[in-house]
Amino acid sequence: MSVELAEIRDFVAPLPPFSLLDAATLDALPKQLAVRYLRRGSDFPPADEAPALYLVRKGAIERRDAHGSLVDMLAEGDVFAAPCLGGDGSDRCTAVEDTLVYLLPCPALQALRRAQPAFDAHFAQSTAERLRHARRGTAFGADETAADPLAQPVGAFAARTPVAAPPTLSIREAAQRMSEARVSALMIVDGERLAGIVTDRDLRRRCLAAGLSPEAPVTAIMSAPVASIGPESPAFEALLAMTRLGIHHLPLVDAGGVRGLVSSTDLLRRQGTATVHLARRVRRCASPAALTAAAGELPELQLRLAAAGAGAAQVGQALTAIYDAVSCRLIELAEGELGPPPVPYAWAACGSQGRHEQTVHSDQDNALVVHDDYRPEAHGAWFAALAQRVNDGLDACGVRYCPGRVMASNAEWRQPQRAWCDYFAAWIGQADQRAAMLAANFLDLRVIRGDPALLAPVHATVVRECAQHELFLARMTANALANRPPLGFFRNFLLEHGGAHVDAFDIKRGGLLPISDLARVHALAAGRAEIGTLARLHAVAGGPTLSAEGAQELAEAFEFLGGLRLRHQSAQLRRGETPDNLIAPAALSALERAELKAAFAAIGRQQAVLAQRYAVGREV
Amino acid sequence: MIRHLAGELRRRWLLARAPAGPRRDFLAVPWPRSGLPCAAAGYLALDLETTGGDPARHEIVSLGWVCVDGPRIDLGSARHRIVCLAGAISAESATVHAITDDEAAAGVPLEEALRELLAALAGRVLIAHYARTELGFVDAACRRLLGGGIAIPAVDTLDLALRRLARLRQTAAPGSLRLGALRRHYNLPRYPAHNALSDALAAAELFLAQLADASPPPRLADWLA
């Protein structure tokens, strides 16, 4: 028999949280509802109703706080559960159109919550839990680790028991041990300590070809010191490290000692070859034109990683690794033509590249820190030429020129170390907004080629200084509050503070950037030198300025928004469009809107907490 | 006022002559007081699908109803009954009502549906769009199956729309008094499905809108059809 009131069931079925009910419960739901009609201008909820959950069938309702500021707007399909969730009732709500609403009495809601755990979780979960669930759940396809083996801890890929030998062995004994265990690499372990590594290739090149006696100690041909990685790191990072270092084996080491060894073949056999191949290809490019062609494959790479289930953080790492490689190669090619640098220097990236958060839509942000021996009249031309070539090359590779001209080709950002020290001192001491904006930008500087020692002391001093300057932190806070997330949705529009409706949402400006800005202020206040947004949040969680829950909430919102952007850009790439950061509400499911609204609310909450701490006023 | 008085007199006259049974039970419940504010009365919105427009010749195919308590529709009271008919449904009628012979065969006897309707309707005011159809068919069914006529208080959403136009000194544009057009005027949702229950609900919601729109708040006597 067909369901009575099927029309109402069908209307309610896709709306969260009702979408979480099982089919039989959903069929029975309409009979538990009542219907009310509110004329435009009426108070909401109606004064003569017992507390209930409200669902807007048609029309629009406006929510304002006790001060009269717009808090939210409800339209078709929006749920208002506050009367059943102990809302304080201080909001004033008004129907702003003739409105038809469905009511579910609070006792009926409680009964549904008791009977349906998934439905209950929607109300009981914290924002962080909800967003994590959304990221892992249906919103972005399969479970991340199931979809992408390389998201698993690298330890899962290591051989059964690590094949290791003491440094006292001869080369012959080491070779015998490798043959018996059928491995191509042997770790040399001195007690708990990893002393070095010997591979088939070392036996060939450093022993046989060099005419060394097989009775010589194995330490004579081993590679040392050896890079290593923790067994809990994602396999992805191990692969990227091997690519960066040009090696094929990576020991797994943690506080307890040597845990195993993975080879690039172990990992590549599983998946993720695309990143590594592209990085190799970039390193072999002989001209900027060849680099442009290689970088043309980056959109395809982003698509494939996202399709394989990689999260936003992983994709950001992978893309930044390639863009770093492109930058390095452009610098090498320029040096090849310009001759060796007249004084040492460091090429540094800031912005999303600095934070390892690039996508195929990112701009370039970079700067040059030159040794203090720099003399403009003698060396200026060389560095100007270098910067111009690299900036042009990056633009040709799809990393567009920075609209704010934060690039090494801008003489202002191509300076000796002492000038950078003066810059930071001035930014910390000055009171204008531009200073805070520039400081925020250059606090994300990361050396990608050249001498890291040129930037390290500047960065360390700045981080130390910042924590002492409450006024500077207050200005950084004001800067971090410049971009506010929207209030929510109203039909197919984004609802901004003050009530403006816009039909597209800049997920970077209104979501990701505010979180990065918050993370930076908290890191500065705690004197932490981390640069990535998630790393910063992790470092300051539970500290004096940010609660553990607050940090978790922001981190989950950051990953959720990053995942949403990734999916948006994937869809654009598949349609042959240029990827961007603009998301249309019409393209989102009701569930995604609900999760997105939870993320907005989390950002808004943490902005308010910070604003209060540094007594920064917020413009409405 | 006159309508209410006449209706109550008819109810008492019928009650005095009705044998024990569902019709008598219904007639034994007085109509809601005529001075009651419309926002405080109980209603039942009814829609019938029929094989034609004449209660004397045509049959009820299905019934849908839902109770309204003042400004509030109680969806828990919603019922949809398909009647098992003796003869086959005409192809034309089946197309309009989307009820097939098989569904009709699986339905309930009209008398059973009628008893259920009268039990729910006792003490309430009937709501229908062009109520004359519903009143006529229910009265005819009572005469045929329950031994005599019936007296039901009713408000007609079509009649209320006409009165509103008259008050505004406007004339109705062609089609503007249809249920769907009136619902659009009050910003009510469009229901694509067409069956007795969804039409009853559609009339109930229209009634809520007309009630919210009315100023000053009407009393039952003002609105009875």
Side-chain angles (χ1 to χ4, degrees):
Chain A
M1 181 180 153
S2 62
V3 181
E4 284 181 356
L5 302 169
E7 208 274 338
I8 292 175
R9 193 265 323 265
D10 293 348
F11 173 76
V12 174
L15 305 175
F18 300 104
S19 51
L20 302 164
L21 295 172
D22 64 39
T25 308
L26 203 51
D27 286 348
L29 182 67
K31 287 237 167 180
Q32 304 195 51
L33 301 176
V35 185
R36 294 276 316 231
Y37 180 87
L38 305 173
R39 269 206 97 198
R40 188 155 58 96
S42 324
D43 289 343
F44 170 88
D48 56 352
E49 281 292 346
L53 172 149
Y54 286 83
L55 176 56
V56 180
R57 173 62 203 245
K58 188 92 197 297
I61 289 162
E62 198 178 78
R63 286 176 62 196
R64 291 183 180 276
D65 64 17
H67 310 292
S69 298
L70 185 66
V71 177
D72 196 4
M73 281 186 82
L74 309 172
E76 291 80 15
D78 289 334
V79 171
F80 181 68
C84 297
L85 302 176
D88 62 0
S90 65
D91 287 356
R92 279 167 216 161
C93 308
T94 313
V96 290
E97 293 175 9
D98 291 338
T99 300
L100 192 73
V101 289
Y102 297 146
L103 295 75
L104 179 67
C106 293
L109 175 66
Q110 306 310 346
L112 283 179
R113 288 181 59 177
R114 279 193 298 275
Q116 304 268 310
F119 179 75
D120 182 55
H122 176 92
F123 296 96
Q125 279 175 339
S126 70
T127 302
E129 286 170 333
R130 241 180 100 182
L131 292 174
R132 185 179 328 114
H133 187 76
R135 218 153 43 73
R136 300 259 157 88
T138 52
F140 300 124
D143 182 72
E144 269 174 35
T145 48
D148 182 11
L150 293 187
Q152 291 177 36
V154 65
F157 294 83
R160 312 69 58 189
T161 36
V163 182
T168 51
L169 245 53
S170 70
I171 296 173
R172 182 198 306 280
E173 288 167 321
Q176 281 166 352
R177 173 107 25 129
M178 288 166 70
S179 298
E180 285 160 18
R182 298 184 187 193
V183 293
S184 59
L186 182 68
M187 288 184 288
I188 308 301
V189 177
D190 187 2
E192 290 285 280
R193 198 181 61 85
L194 178 68
I197 187 167
V198 176
T199 65
D200 279 349
R201 192 169 149 177
D202 296 328
L203 291 171
R204 191 173 72 240
R205 282 178 49 196
R206 293 181 182 160
C207 177
L208 290 174
L212 192 66
S213 161
E215 306 309 326
V218 70
T219 49
I221 62 162
M222 73 180 186
S223 301
V226 201
S228 66
I229 194 167
E232 292 304 315
S233 308
F236 209 88
E237 280 179 20
L239 200 50
L240 288 174
M242 285 191 262
T243 305
R244 193 170 59 242
L245 301 169
I247 57 176
H248 298 283
H249 296 88
L250 195 62
L252 309 182
V253 178
D254 65 12
V258 178
R259 296 298 176 198
L261 180 72
V262 286
S263 71
S264 55
T265 15
D266 289 339
L267 300 178
L268 293 180
R269 204 181 295 135
R270 304 292 286 270
Q271 210 175 354
T273 57
T275 313
V276 179
H277 283 164
L278 190 52
R280 284 187 186 142
R281 185 173 153 198
V282 161
R283 278 208 308 276
R284 284 196 302 265
C285 282
S287 69
L291 275 172
T292 302
E297 290 183 17
L298 275 161
E300 176 68 21
L301 176 68
Q302 181 173 324
L303 247 180
R304 285 170 68 171
L305 290 172
Q314 293 168 338
V315 174
Q317 292 275 359
L319 263 81
T320 304
I322 304 290
Y323 284 119
D324 282 3
V326 169
S327 307
C328 285
R329 192 64 194 135
L330 281 167
I331 295 166
E332 286 167 8
L333 291 171
E335 281 187 359
E337 287 186 32
L338 298 170
V343 291
Y345 70 94
W347 180 279
C350 49
S352 56
Q353 189 177 5
R355 296 190 302 270
H356 279 113
E357 293 164 7
Q358 263 180 305
T359 70
V360 289
H361 179 62
S362 300
D363 297 339
Q364 52 175 300
D365 292 287
N366 44 57
L368 267 174
V369 184
V370 186
H371 192 276
D372 279 345
D373 288 346
Y374 173 75
R375 279 175 295 114
E377 60 289 355
H379 311 137
W382 191 93
F383 285 105
L386 172 78
Q388 197 60 54
R389 282 169 192 237
V390 178
N391 286 166
D392 291 349
L394 283 172
D395 185 71
C397 289
V399 199
R400 292 157 307 142
Y401 294 120
C402 170
R405 301 203 60 235
V406 176
M407 292 184 288
S409 57
N410 180 350
E412 201 178 358
W413 313 128
R414 192 174 69 238
Q415 294 288 335
Q417 192 187 37
R418 60 175 183 281
W420 281 103
C421 289
D422 294 345
Y423 279 164
F424 276 105
W427 292 331
I428 294 172
Q430 274 167 18
D432 66 292
Q433 205 198 337
R434 182 170 183 267
M437 216 183 66
L438 289 172
N441 216 329
F442 288 108
L443 278 162
D444 294 352
L445 270 183
R446 175 174 64 85
V447 173
I448 56 176
R449 192 182 155 88
D451 187 0
L454 285 171
L455 183 63
V458 182
H459 205 258
T461 313
V462 167
V463 166
R464 213 172 33 247
E465 286 276 303
C466 286
Q468 316 299 322
H469 284 74
E470 284 281 311
L471 259 176
F472 174 69
L473 289 174
R475 277 197 309 282
M476 292 297 285
T477 300
N479 183 63
L481 302 185
N483 290 314
R484 297 180 75 181
L487 285 171
F489 298 94
F490 180 63
R491 303 213 165 98
N492 278 337
F493 297 98
L494 256 305
L495 181 65
E496 301 279 9
H497 291 267
H501 302 179
V502 293
D503 57 7
F505 164 51
D506 185 332
I507 195 166
K508 183 176 180 189
R509 229 173 62 87
L512 292 160
L513 219 48
I515 300 177
S516 293
D517 287 341
L518 285 173
R520 189 184 303 105
V521 177
H522 286 293
L524 287 177
R528 302 291 308 217
E530 280 85 356
I531 288 180
T533 300
L534 291 174
R536 279 171 170 161
L537 289 172
H538 188 70
V540 300
T545 65
L546 185 61
S547 68
E549 299 76 39
Q552 201 191 5
E553 187 169 271
L554 285 177
E556 289 296 343
F558 191 73
E559 296 209 52
F560 173 81
L561 292 166
L564 199 58
R565 170 165 75 173
L566 212 50
R567 225 164 45 93
H568 164 71
Q569 294 188 344
S570 290
Q572 288 181 313
L573 289 168
R574 276 194 295 268
R575 290 196 297 266
E577 298 166 8
T578 309
D580 59 29
N581 290 325
L582 292 176
I583 293 184
L588 299 172
S589 74
L591 188 62
E592 285 167 339
R593 288 180 186 212
E595 310 298 3
L596 201 46
K597 202 170 155 182
F600 294 160
I603 299 169
R605 258 195 308 279
Q606 297 305 328
Q607 285 188 333
V609 168
L610 202 62
Q612 195 175 22
R613 179 178 174 85
Y614 291 104
V616 178
R618 284 157 60 116
E619 299 156 36
V620 174
Chain B
M1 201 65 180
I2 301 293
R3 284 193 177 104
H4 188 273
L5 192 61
E8 263 290 86
L9 289 174
R10 178 170 156 76
R11 176 184 72 80
R12 287 182 207 163
W13 188 84
L14 289 169
L15 176 63
R17 284 152 188 81
R23 194 170 131 261
R24 184 183 174 86
D25 294 344
F26 177 81
L27 291 168
V29 182
W31 285 17
R33 287 183 298 106
S34 67
L36 199 62
C38 288
Y43 305 85
L44 181 147
L46 174 70
D47 185 73
L48 303 179
E49 307 290 357
T50 60
T51 55
D54 182 357
R57 291 194 297 125
H58 294 117
E59 292 189 88
I60 297 174
V61 175
S62 64
L63 309 83
W65 69 82
V66 63
C67 291
V68 182
D69 297 305
R72 187 173 198 276
I73 300 169
D74 171 19
L75 291 180
S77 66
R79 297 291 182 272
H80 190 215
R81 295 291 175 257
I82 292 166
V83 177
C84 59
L85 294 174
I89 296 175
S90 74
E92 186 195 2
S93 177
T95 313
V96 172
H97 306 309
I99 293 170
T100 60
D101 283 349
D102 287 348
E103 281 181 292
V108 298
L110 179 59
E111 186 179 337
E112 190 182 318
L114 198 59
R115 285 166 182 260
E116 204 183 346
L117 171 67
L118 289 182
L121 186 56
R124 293 182 177 272
V125 178
L126 185 129
I127 295 169
H129 196 65
Y130 193 56
R132 188 182 292 183
T133 304
E134 275 67 27
L135 290 173
F137 272 91
V138 171
D139 187 64
C142 285
R143 284 174 200 279
R144 188 149 56 85
L145 299 168
L146 301 178
I150 200 97
I152 300 171
V155 292
D156 185 341
T157 48
L158 176 64
D159 182 45
L160 294 181
L162 274 171
R163 293 197 216 174
R164 178 176 168 278
L165 285 181
R167 207 169 50 248
L168 299 173
R169 297 177 198 289
Q170 292 174 2
T171 48
S176 68
L177 294 175
R178 303 177 88 118
L179 188 55
L182 287 168
R183 286 175 59 85
R184 270 196 299 284
H185 171 80
Y186 287 106
N187 199 35
L188 290 166
R190 206 175 76 81
Y191 289 145
H194 184 65
N195 68 42
L197 179 54
S198 69
D199 282 355
L201 182 59
E205 290 173 354
L206 174 60
F207 174 77
L208 291 193
Q210 290 172 325
L211 188 60
D213 191 32
S215 174
R219 290 172 312 135
L220 211 47
D222 305 329
W223 271 19
L224 281 187

